[in-house]
Amino acid sequence: MVAVKSAKVPTMECETEHFLMAQRQLDEIAEEMGLDRELHERLRYPKRALIVTVPVRMDDGTVKSFTGYRVHHDVTLGPAKGGIRFHPEVNLGEVSCLAMLMTWKCALMGLPYGGAKGGIRCEPWKLSIGENERLTRRYTSEIINLIGPDKDIPAPDMYTNEQTMAWIMDTYSINVGHTVPSVVTGKPVSIGGSFGRTEATGRGVAYCARRAVSHYGIKGDSPTVVVQGFGNVGSIAAKLLHQAGYKIVGVSDVHGGIYNPKGIDIPRLFAYLSEMGKVEGFTGSTPVSNKDLLELPCDLLIPAALGGQITEENANKLNCKIVVEGANGPTTPEADLMLHERGIIVIPDILANAGGVTVSYFEWVQGMMHLFWSEDEVNQRLEQIMGRACDQVLELATKSKLSVRMAALRIGVSRIAEAKRLRGLYP
Ligand code: GLU
């Protein structure tokens, strides 16, 4: 029996299927760890959620309204932290679910932050640069009361980048009348960003992959790897694992994938990609669809594209030993269970892709101190924090027989619960 049951009538408007998934995950771990009923109840919903209409003058002179969101799930340990995504599937439930995952992720990494997420429902690939800028700036001014270096610090997520963060930082700064670099992270280095932030998520994924390989004793000198998604996360993970002597046998991007059981020459693939704009057609490889790519034989599968890629439909067809979640939520809960039963290890998103928010934290700290670190220093500190979290999670999973996801959640949730218990319930 779970301590608190979901009501049939939604308690909050965020209770979409997506959000309920994250809530059920919390219910499950709360039951497993015997979490205090009151603390559990307080963690089941976002603390606050803002929905805004963002009117934008389009290039053809018409005005179009977009819907934007910013959700704070919890702020017990510090300011809310989390990305902003531009995508057609953005809605209150999805953003609330991802905000909750940010709470567990930050707590697991030992960062002094709560969890947040934001987004705008749009098709970013259809916007011109000017439309994108006007959308970003108007959204920023609509959520301006929620954000700030001590309140909530946005960062990039799907289809947002350094330039988006520069516009948010500028809009916020103009509104308050002075420059406030620390209102966002993931900024360009020239305006207060950190070295190593762009590569941080992929670097963290590669790091977790290597730790998992040694922890679970994967044999052979060059473990084989398949990477779904060759964007900022997947391509960096592939590059670093290739450098570490791993054999990358399959990769894909939005257009499709390629397979080469002898190993793909990743540096040459980067050059090919910058010329052709896609991975398909790369010398010596066979084309493979994004769907089939997931079923290729390999030691490590890294889903680093969209959420919901490993489902009930394909979980039994996966042909890997370890899944390392580069994306947020690439495995559905049903698939997760099936993989666990098949003995396939899943290194969950809240651990595997936490390199991004960890270096975001470094960027925020450097900005507050006005003292900037070298790239080597950033990477060393990232390895320290990732290493500590990986060791804690893998050790707990092995000792307790929990899945790695449940072990990671347990550590994250228990830290927030302890902080909430100590702070008490106001009034
Ligand atoms: N959007 C990233 C994530 O999901 C980074 C968040 C941040 O840096 O604040 O973890």
Side-chain angles (χ1 to χ4, degrees), residues 81-83 102 105 117 153 155-157 185 197 328 353 356-357 360:
K81 188 87 191 78
M102 283 309 298
K105 190 188 297 189
K117 204 73 163 198
I153 307 121
D157 201 87
T185 58
R197 174 61 184 87
N328 281 317
N353 72 26
V357 72
S360 272

